Amino acid sequence: MSATPRLLNLNLFIYPGGHHEAAWRYHDSAPDRLLDLSYYQELARRAEAAKFDAIFLADGPSLPDNIRYASRFRLEPFTWLSGLAAATATSCRPT
């Protein structure tokens, strides 16, 4: 049996349009902030304050074939990650 304690790593999974195609219709959603970098910075700061280990950003084509039910617009990864790195205190600190 190993003496090393088991660790749980927490990651925030950000999928800009929501995990359901109609998520933007929920009364507390903020579909107008999908392209607002400050929205994702707020999420990153909250995750950092809650001691999350990482953020996963779901990426994909910015305009896929099926756009009938939900917005598929999203920031490209370099803009996204640069903005989040600037907003968090531990973004470049080794663990």
Side-chain angles (χ1 to χ4, degrees):
M1 196 159 206
S2 174
T4 305
R6 293 181 62 158
L7 301 176
L8 176 66
N9 294 314
L10 298 175
N11 296 289
L12 174 61
F13 180 1
I14 300 176
Y15 191 67
H19 292 274
H20 187 275
E21 63 188 23
W24 64 273
R25 298 176 68 182
Y26 180 67
H27 70 280
D28 285 338
S29 69
D32 56 317
R33 297 191 72 193
L34 283 176
L35 296 176
D36 181 1
L37 189 54
S38 68
Y39 174 65
Y40 301 103
Q41 290 174 332
E42 289 172 23
L43 293 175
R45 287 186 192 112
R46 287 183 185 183
E48 183 177 44
K51 305 295 185 199
F52 276 47
D53 297 297
I55 295 174
F56 176 78
L57 302 168
D59 190 28
S62 63
L63 191 57
D65 295 335
N66 181 4
I67 60 169
R68 180 175 174 189
Y69 301 109
S71 172
R72 300 292 191 237
F73 295 111
R74 54 183 66 138
L75 298 171
E76 51 84 26
F78 287 110
T79 300
W80 225 352
L81 294 173
S82 298
L84 298 183
T88 56
T90 59
S91 59
C92 296
R93 189 174 357 155
T95 57

